[in-house]
Amino acid sequence: MIRLRNVSKIYGKQKALDCAVLHIKQGEFVFLVGTSGAGKSTLMRLIYREEVPTKGQVLVGGVDVAKLQDYKVHHLRRRMGIVFQDFKLLCDQTVFDNVAFIIRALGMSDREINRRVRGALKIVGLHEKADELPTCLSGGEQQRVGIARAIVNGPPLLIADEPTGNLDPQTSMEIMEILEQVNKRGTTVIVATHDHMIVNHMKKRVITLDQGKIVKDMDCGTYEC
Ligand SMILES: Nc1ncnc2c1ncn2[C@@H]1O[C@H](COP(=O)(O)OP(=O)(O)OP(=O)(O)O)[C@@H](O)[C@H]1O
Ligand SMILES: [Mg+2]
């Protein structure tokens, strides 16, 4: 599903990513770990085509994303859900409307929107809070809205950049369990995190970055302190 062929991303003199070679198959659950500045977000931004590589190729579903025209980038992003550390919710809109936002823009019928939003909220356990504003929710609940928004269009790929960075350990584990459920429904999940406890508990594939290089890639891996 995702293939990186000798990918480097260089900002000025800074090698954010250095000759990365990587293959992630459909249905995998992958952690990206490494110290601050190791290149985790850069790798993710290359996959969702927020950035293009300085060298090498990033293939998503067999397509070289650097070569996509702008309108095709929109098509690519529709097949991905993206979850951020700071949730990025619309504070003046209800939970329902936050989750519905993207599929409304796709011109779906109200009935279909309703069905999909309720379904996504059920997966994250927030179906009873559909009419609340995000400001009335806890951090963990807000992140669950972020996940519902990311999965509402049934994407084959979910990318989460430090989704638990602002949450306590118990809530972080609940968020990871939701991501695991999403993965069990067939979505490929890629999570960047600094959280040793979560990575070591989940026993998934762990890719370790250090100064832009992939230094370790292990199935059922761990994140050493
Ligand atoms: N837009 C940019 N312009 C210049 N340098 C950048 C840019 N984006 C990232 N970098 C640099 O590239 C390197 C990798 O950054 P990146 O954000 O990918 O790290 P990270 O592993 O996600 O770190 P963190 O854990 O702090 O989020 C860093 O040295 C960073 O300063
Ligand atoms: Mg980052």
Side-chain angles (χ1 to χ4, degrees), residues 14-155:
Q14 179 67 43
K15 276 191 178 172
L17 208 60
D18 190 1
C19 214
V21 175
L22 181 61
H23 182 207
I24 296 175
K25 295 198 222 69
Q26 176 67 44
E28 282 197 83
F29 190 119
V30 179
F31 281 116
L32 292 182
V33 303
T35 52
S36 190
K40 306 180 292 296
S41 299
T42 301
L43 201 161
M44 291 180 146
R45 286 199 292 266
L46 289 166
I47 293 170
Y48 61 84
R49 217 315 204 131
E50 182 72 21
E51 300 280 2
V52 290
T54 312
K55 283 187 207 152
Q57 280 183 321
V58 178
L59 303 168
V60 178
V63 174
D64 182 344
V65 296
K67 293 195 175 141
L68 288 178
Q69 291 164 291
D70 283 351
Y71 77 97
K72 288 203 171 155
V73 174
H74 293 297
H75 287 279
L76 175 83
R77 298 242 180 95
R78 268 181 221 159
R79 295 172 49 234
M80 299 178 178
I82 306 173
V83 176
F84 302 95
Q85 177 173 357
D86 58 357
F87 320 137
K88 296 200 195 299
L89 301 177
L90 304 164
C91 296
D92 58 346
Q93 298 205 17
T94 64
V95 165
F96 185 99
D97 289 336
N98 266 279
V99 177
F101 189 78
I102 292 164
I103 50 173
R104 270 199 185 118
L106 296 178
M108 264 176 212
S109 69
D110 285 349
R111 194 169 162 191
E112 182 64 8
I113 290 169
N114 197 48
R115 191 183 71 78
R116 289 199 186 210
V117 172
R118 303 270 168 208
L121 287 175
K122 202 151 198 178
I123 291 170
V124 302
L126 275 187
H127 43 294
E128 281 165 8
K129 304 230 169 175
D131 299 325
E132 307 260 354
L133 288 173
T135 43
C136 300
L137 303 180
S138 69
E141 288 171 332
Q142 290 187 44
Q143 191 54 295
R144 287 197 262 159
V145 179
I147 295 170
R149 179 186 55 190
I151 62 173
V152 71
N153 202 22

Side-chain angles (χ1 to χ4, degrees), residues 146-194:
I147 295 170
R149 179 186 55 190
I151 62 173
V152 71
N153 202 22
L157 173 64
L158 184 79
I159 294 176
D161 196 352
E162 295 189 41
T164 61
N166 290 332
L167 305 175
D168 64 61
Q170 165 76 28
T171 312
S172 297
M173 199 53 88
E174 288 166 13
I175 292 294
M176 281 303 154
E177 279 162 12
I178 291 169
L179 294 179
E180 193 170 33
Q181 287 309 313
V182 171
N183 175 245
K184 285 197 173 136
R185 289 164 177 263
T187 299
T188 307
V189 176
I190 307 176
V191 182
T193 184
H194 285 285

